[in-house]
């Protein structure tokens, strides 16, 4: 059997790319100096595509791949995939759920601790030699505070159990009420008004774009801190900058941004924000597990005609 041809549209770590190269004819679209030339020469042969969670796949690219059968996303978020287009063409789309849940939830908890207890600012204080000169600031007791979660899915639930263990109270919003021991708010504004930490854990994409807007931030108010480990697109970033500048909200802890790796200069200059370079799943163990699952989906498809983790819209 000839090896299936695969188009790679994102930078992949060696622990994924090397096994892929062993079993497939890989064509590196991401690094190609002349992408139209690559597509003209190889497009008609391509049967699989591997992309990252943050990769945006335009439909003209897919138009150039008439035999494409599967897109395997190296990540759980697939907001960069044109899902309806894939559905119409019968292209399978898979992702890497579950294996990264714990790590991403850890980052959310870390951002709650870092913003609430001021750990990043206090670290700067100590390293700047300020401790011998003055007392460190007092911060916020976390136990007893309210955490509101937008998107109580796999990661949202892992965050909920972690912050519950810290003695924090959990509530959530989403498109539907779930059978969980947390208070449900059908309305995001009401959730924001009620909580101290608003944690964004929903998918990105058109349905959630700018869901956390100026009105939601106003409802979160001076008592409130915004945590985002989901996608930058869910938060209206200029509105967030304005809310932080005006003191409308207290603080923010962000792992994701609208135009990564570019972060608004205003955020970089603020003392009441903690910023991370999209490291939710960035551990050796988890990225390896994601890589294994990303390849396992291709192997399953080309070996048995089935996939392991089809996205729900195509199930
Ligand atoms: P998931 O299990 O599908 O959970 C998503 C949750 O969001 C669901 O509970 C869903 O609840 C809710 N939701 C979906 N659409 C919504 C909408 N339009 N409005 C309100 N709520 C909505 O996904 P997951 O595995 O927890 O991952 C969540 C997201 O985290 C991913 O999509 C990805 O973008 C992001 N992520 C970030 C990192 C990072 O490195 N920072 C890493 C991994 C994942 P309902 O169905 O009840 O609405």
């Amino acid at each position: 059997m000839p090896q299936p041809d695969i188009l790679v549209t994102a930078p992949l770590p060696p622990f994924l790319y090397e096994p892929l190269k062993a079993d497939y004819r890989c064509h590196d679209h991401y690094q190609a100096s002349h992408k139209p030339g690559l597509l003209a020469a190889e497009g008609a042969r391509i049967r699989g595509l591997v992309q990252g969670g943050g990769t945006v796949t335009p439909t003209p690219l897919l138009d150039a791949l008439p035999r494409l059968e599967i897109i395997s996303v190296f990540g759980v978020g697939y907001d960069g995939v044109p899902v309806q287009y894939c559905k119409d063409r019968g292209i399978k789309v898979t992702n890497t759920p579950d294996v990264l849940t714990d790590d991403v939830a850890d980052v959310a908890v870390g951002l709650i601790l870092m913003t609430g207890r001021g750990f990043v600012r206090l670290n700067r204080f100590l390293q700047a030699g300020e401790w011998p000169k003055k007392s460190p600031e007092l911060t916020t007791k976390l136990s007893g505070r309210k955490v509101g979660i937008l998107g109580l899915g796999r990661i949202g639930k892992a965050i909920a159990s972690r912050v519950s263990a810290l003695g924090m109270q959990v509530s959530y919003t989403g498109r539907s009420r779930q059978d969980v021991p947390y208070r449900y708010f059908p309305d995001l504004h009401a959730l924001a008004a009620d909580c101290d930490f608003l944690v964004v854990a929903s998918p990105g994409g058109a349905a959630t774009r700018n869901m956390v807007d100026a009105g939601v931030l106003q409802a979160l108010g001076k008592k409130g801190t915004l945590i985002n480990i989901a996608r930058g697109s869910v938060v209206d970033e200029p509105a967030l900058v304005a809310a932080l500048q005006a003191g409308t909200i207290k603080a923010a802890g962000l792992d994701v941004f609208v135009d990564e790796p570019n972060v608004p200069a205003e955020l970089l200059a603020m003392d009441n924000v903690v910023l991370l370079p999209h490291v939710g799943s960035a551990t050796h163990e988890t990225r390896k597990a994601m890589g294994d699952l990303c390849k396992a989906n291709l192997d399953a498809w080309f070996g048995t005609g089935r996939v392991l983790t089809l996205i729900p819209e195509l199930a």
Side-chain angles (χ1 to χ4, degrees):
M1 278 279 283
Q3 291 180 326
D5 288 71
I6 300 292
L7 195 71
V8 175
T9 61
L12 300 181
F15 52 77
L16 170 57
Y17 212 169
E18 294 309 319
L20 277 179
K21 284 176 184 165
D23 291 345
Y24 298 92
R25 283 189 72 224
C26 291
H27 305 276
D28 197 332
H29 183 262
Y30 177 74
Q31 299 217 48
S33 53
H34 191 245
K35 296 183 193 328
L38 171 65
L39 293 177
E42 306 290 350
R45 272 196 285 271
I46 301 292
R47 297 175 61 198
L49 184 152
V50 175
Q51 66 166 78
T55 313
V56 175
T57 301
T59 53
L61 171 64
L62 300 180
D63 287 341
L65 311 174
R67 289 183 64 208
L68 187 67
E69 299 166 33
I70 179 170
I71 296 177
S72 179
V73 179
F74 175 55
V76 71
Y78 49 89
D79 40 303
V81 178
V83 172
Q84 187 58 47
Y85 173 102
C86 291
K87 198 172 187 174
D88 294 344
R89 265 189 59 185
I91 299 168
K92 305 288 179 205
V93 180
T94 61
N95 62 348
T96 62
D98 297 316
V99 294
L100 44 62
T101 296
D102 286 333
D103 278 1
V104 185
D106 289 348
V107 170
V109 175
L111 287 169
I112 289 173
L113 287 165
M114 289 191 282
T115 52
R117 291 296 307 273
F119 288 149
V120 172
R121 202 162 50 234
L122 288 164
N123 176 261
R124 283 199 293 267
F125 168 89
L126 190 150
Q127 290 194 316
E130 294 293 316
W131 195 11
K133 300 179 211 160
K134 57 184 177 197
S135 299
E137 65 174 303
L138 299 183
T139 60
T140 303
K141 180 180 166 82
L142 296 180
S143 178
R145 299 272 160 181
K146 294 180 176 175
V147 176
I149 300 176
L150 163 57
L152 194 74
R154 290 169 292 243
I155 294 170
K157 288 189 179 77
I159 295 168
S161 67
R162 281 160 171 73
V163 298
S164 296
L166 294 176
M168 304 180 87
Q169 298 174 44
V170 176
S171 49
Y172 70 101
T173 191
R175 291 168 300 182
S176 52
R177 183 192 296 272
Q178 302 184 42
D179 185 16
V180 289
Y182 311 121
R183 184 173 173 198
Y184 177 61
F185 284 82
D187 176 56
L188 176 57
H189 290 79
L191 178 78
D194 184 72
C195 70
D196 302 293
F197 292 87
L198 180 62
V199 181
V200 182
S202 67
T208 58
R209 191 172 307 284
N210 290 340
M211 230 178 151
V212 178
D213 59 11
V216 171
L217 296 168
Q218 187 74 46
L220 183 58
K222 289 185 192 310
K223 64 171 181 18
T225 296
L226 180 76
I227 305 292
N228 188 4
I229 52 77
R231 283 287 184 265
S233 63
V234 186
V235 176
D236 180 341
E237 209 166 65
L240 173 63
V241 168
L244 286 162
Q245 284 173 331
T248 306
I249 67 168
K250 184 177 176 184
L254 309 171
D255 185 45
V256 287
F257 305 88
V258 170
D259 181 30
E260 298 174 4
N262 303 303
V263 175
E266 297 93 332
L267 289 177
L268 296 175
M270 286 176 189
D271 204 34
N272 57 341
V273 300
V274 176
L275 309 172
L276 297 176
H278 200 148
V279 290
S281 64
T283 65
H284 292 290
E285 298 83 355
T286 290
R287 286 285 166 84
K288 174 72 168 67
M290 291 164 60
D292 289 350
L293 183 50
C294 178
K295 179 170 183 290
N297 271 309
L298 290 175
D299 295 347
W301 177 250
F302 290 113
T304 68
R306 301 172 73 90
V307 296
L308 305 177
T309 52
L310 190 67
I311 64 167
E313 291 90 333
L314 302 185

